Amino acid sequence: MQRLTASTPLPAHVIKPAYDRASLKPGIVHIGLGAFHRAHQAVYTDAALAEEFGNWGIVGVSLRSVDIVHDLRAQDGLYTVIARSAAGDSARVVGSVVQGLSGTEDQEEILSLMADPAIRIVTMTVTEKAYGYDPVSGGLDRNHQAVVADLANPTAPVGVIGYIVEGLARRHAAGLPPFTVLCCDNLPTNGRIVRRLTIEMAGSRDPALATWIAGEGAFPCSMVDRIVPAATEETRARAEKLLGAEDKLALDTEPFLQWVIEDRFVSGRPKWEAGGALFVGDVEPYEKMKLRLLNGSHSMMAYLGQLHGLTYIRDVIAVPEYRERVRRHMAAVLETLDPVPGIDLSAYQDELIERFSNPGIAHLTRQVAMDGSQKLPQRIMVPAVEELAQGKDASAFAYVSAVWMAYLMKISDINDPRAAELKAAAAKAMPNDPSAPFFAIPGLFPQALVENRAWRALVNAELEKL
C-alpha cells in the first residue's frame, strides 16, 4: 500500500492542512518529537496556519531517537491524528511539521537552526526527568547525566537545557535577539523553572550570557492537556483504513485538547487561539487544577491498575470502587486549589471522569505509572504539605502515596530514573513501618512530610490495607 506523503490523495472525510505547505518555512524548533507534541502543539499550529498563514513551520527535534525522524522524512512531515470517542473516529492529517532532526545525527544542524533569526520560538516536551531539575535546590541537578555532560562540554550539548543555552549563546554572539523558550511539560510554573535552569547553566560558562538571557529572554509558562496513549499496530491499521494509505506515525487521541499560555513572547507567535488556545496573564491556577485533578488522579488510577491487573485507565475507572476513589481524591484536591478563571470546577471533574472512561482510548496503566518519583511531588506531595499546613490530615494524599509504594513493592520492573533507590527501599520495608525506607530516600519527599509522623502513620495504615 502507498505510504502517506504530500502527493497522497486523501478521502473527503479526512481533515487536511488548509494552507500552502510548499510555502511554509520554519519559525519554531520543537525539542521532543514524541506523540504528545504531534497530537497537541503541532495540531494547534496547524489550525493557526489555516487561520493566519505565516512562517511558523515546526522543525521537530528528537534528541535521541532517529527512527521517528526518518519516518517523518519519508512521509514529507505528514502524519494522522485520530480523535476517538464513543461517537466514532475522526482523522486529521497534520502538516505543520516541516522537518525532523535527530540529536544523534544532526546536532550541528539543530544548533545552526536555533541560531537562525528565522526561528523565533523553541518549544519542548521532553518529560519532567529530562530537565535536570533539582527539586530541593530549585536549580540544576549537578548529578544529572545530561547536566554533567553539558557543563563539561557546552558547545556540543546532549540535554535540552544544554541545547537551549548553546542556541542562545550563538545568537548572543551574533548580536541577534533571543528566541522565546516555551516549556510544554507538566512542571509547575514550568517557564520559571526552565528560565532558572537556563540562566544557571549559561552563567557557568559566561556571566554576560546569563545576564543577557535574564534581561532579554522570555520563558512563558504554559499548561497543556490531551490524553495521548502510545501508538500501537491497531492505531496504524486504523489510520490505513481511514486514509487508504500507510502511516507509520499515526496517533490515537481524545477529542479534548487544552492549552493555556502566558502571553509573553519576544518576537511574535502563531495565532494559536485559532485552535482554541487561551492566553492569560497567570497560568498557575490552570496548571494546579490540571496537575492535581487530572494528573494526580491519573497517577492513582495507574498504580491501582498495576496492582490489580488492569491494563488500561478506562478499565480502572470502570470499577465502581475505584471511580469513587477518584471522586474522593478530586474532592480533597479542590480544597488546595485557587479559583480558576472561566472554569466550573464541578463540571471539570465530571468531564475528567468522562475522559478517563473514553472507550476509544487505550491508555496503558503501565505507561502512566512511569517516572513516579518525578511526577508525584507536584501532583501529590506538594498539595499534601499545603493541607497539613492548614491543620488538615491530608489523608487522600497519604492514600495515593501508599498505593505508589505498594506498586513499587509488588511490580518488579518499574520505569523510573530513581528505580534502583526505589526498589532498594521496597526491599527494606518492615511490617511495623513499611514506608520508612521510602521517606529515607534523599530529596524524594518534602521535609515537611518526612518529619510528620502522624501523616506517615496514615500512609502506613493504607499500606497495611493494600
Side-chain angles (χ1 to χ4, degrees), residues 111 114 154 157 159-171 179 197-205 209 212-213:
L111 292 169
M114 293 173 77
V160 60
I161 300 299
Y163 267 93
I164 290 168
V165 172
E166 175 60 12
L168 289 170
R170 293 187 180 199
R171 292 172 84 107
F179 45 72
L197 300 180
T198 301
I199 291 170
E200 183 179 339
M201 185 172 285
S204 71
R205 63 187 282 183
L209 173 62
W212 177 75
I213 294 171

Side-chain angles (χ1 to χ4, degrees), residues 324-346:
E324 179 57 29
R325 277 283 183 189
V326 171
R327 286 285 190 186
R328 293 210 298 268
H329 179 75
M330 290 181 177
V333 167
L334 280 184
E335 299 179 5
T336 75
L337 297 180
D338 304 315
V340 186
I343 301 291
D344 179 336
L345 289 173
S346 178

Side-chain angles (χ1 to χ4, degrees), residues 53-368:
F53 189 79
N55 290 332
W56 293 113
I58 299 170
V59 177
V61 173
S62 175
L63 292 182
R64 302 288 178 267
S65 174
V66 297
D67 290 344
I68 190 170
V69 170
H70 294 169
D71 284 335
L72 199 66
R73 290 172 185 167
Q75 296 186 184
D76 297 329
L78 298 171
Y79 59 91
T80 315
V81 174
I82 305 168
R84 310 202 70 214
S85 70
D89 299 339
S90 65
R92 177 180 194 143
V93 171
V94 177
S96 55
V97 180
V98 296
Q99 186 181 7
L101 297 171
S102 167
T104 304
E105 297 180 340
D106 310 302
Q107 182 189 68
E108 183 53 38
E109 188 174 353
I110 295 165
L111 292 169
S112 295
L113 195 62
M114 293 173 77
D116 187 331
I119 299 301
R120 290 180 277 169
I121 301 174
V122 173
T123 56
M124 68 276 295
T125 48
V126 293
T127 75
E128 298 92 334
K129 63 186 175 185
Y131 287 93
Y133 168 66
D134 180 355
V136 177
S137 70
L140 290 170
D141 177 358
R142 300 290 175 138
N143 295 314
H144 189 277
Q145 186 176 5
V147 171
V148 172
D150 292 344
L151 289 172
N153 192 8
T155 59
V158 297
V160 60
I161 300 299
Y163 267 93
I164 290 168
V165 172
E166 175 60 12
L168 289 170
R170 293 187 180 199
R171 292 172 84 107
H172 182 237
L176 297 170
F179 45 72
T180 297
V181 179
L182 179 58
C183 177
C184 303
D185 276 303
N186 286 323
L187 290 166
T189 63
N190 51 17
R192 293 200 283 276
I193 287 175
V194 173
R195 181 180 186 272
R196 175 168 174 176
L197 300 180
T198 301
I199 291 170
E200 183 179 339
M201 185 172 285
S204 71
R205 63 187 282 183
D206 180 1
L209 173 62
T211 300
W212 177 75
I213 294 171
E216 302 295 328
F219 296 78
C221 294
S222 80
M223 181 272 268
V224 298
D225 188 6
R226 194 173 206 183
I227 295 173
V228 187
T232 64
E233 287 303 322
E234 288 183 353
T235 306
R236 290 178 276 275
R238 194 163 19 252
E240 187 173 304
K241 184 177 180 181
L242 287 164
L243 299 181
E246 180 187 20
D247 181 0
K248 290 189 176 180
L249 295 174
L251 299 168
D252 286 330
T253 187
E254 61 176 338
F256 179 92
L257 72 169
Q258 186 177 39
W259 198 4
V260 183
I261 311 168
E262 184 182 6
D263 199 358
R264 192 161 56 86
F265 292 76
V266 291
S267 53
R269 59 169 176 80
K271 194 175 182 181
W272 282 318
E273 52 266 60
L278 179 63
F279 287 89
V280 300
D282 183 10
V283 172
E284 194 165 357
Y286 302 89
E287 187 178 70
K288 286 172 66 175
M289 172 191 76
K290 189 253 180 173
L291 280 170
R292 298 182 184 187
L293 281 173
L294 187 154
N295 297 121
S297 299
H298 233 184
S299 290
M300 180 176 72
M301 286 187 289
Y303 299 125
L304 282 170
Q306 285 287 286
L307 284 172
H308 298 287
L310 299 171
T311 303
Y312 300 115
I313 292 293
R314 67 192 185 200
D315 300 333
V316 180
I317 201 69
V319 177
E321 177 189 348
Y322 301 153
R323 181 183 289 247
E324 179 57 29
R325 277 283 183 189
V326 171
R327 286 285 190 186
R328 293 210 298 268
H329 179 75
M330 290 181 177
V333 167
L334 280 184
E335 299 179 5
T336 75
L337 297 180
D338 304 315
V340 186
I343 301 291
D344 179 336
L345 289 173
S346 178
Y348 181 76
Q349 292 174 79
D350 291 339
E351 185 177 43
L352 288 179
I353 297 293
E354 183 179 347
R355 291 169 63 196
F356 295 149
S357 306
N358 187 336
I361 298 301
H363 209 179
L364 292 165
T365 55
R366 183 179 72 250
Q367 179 189 358
V368 181

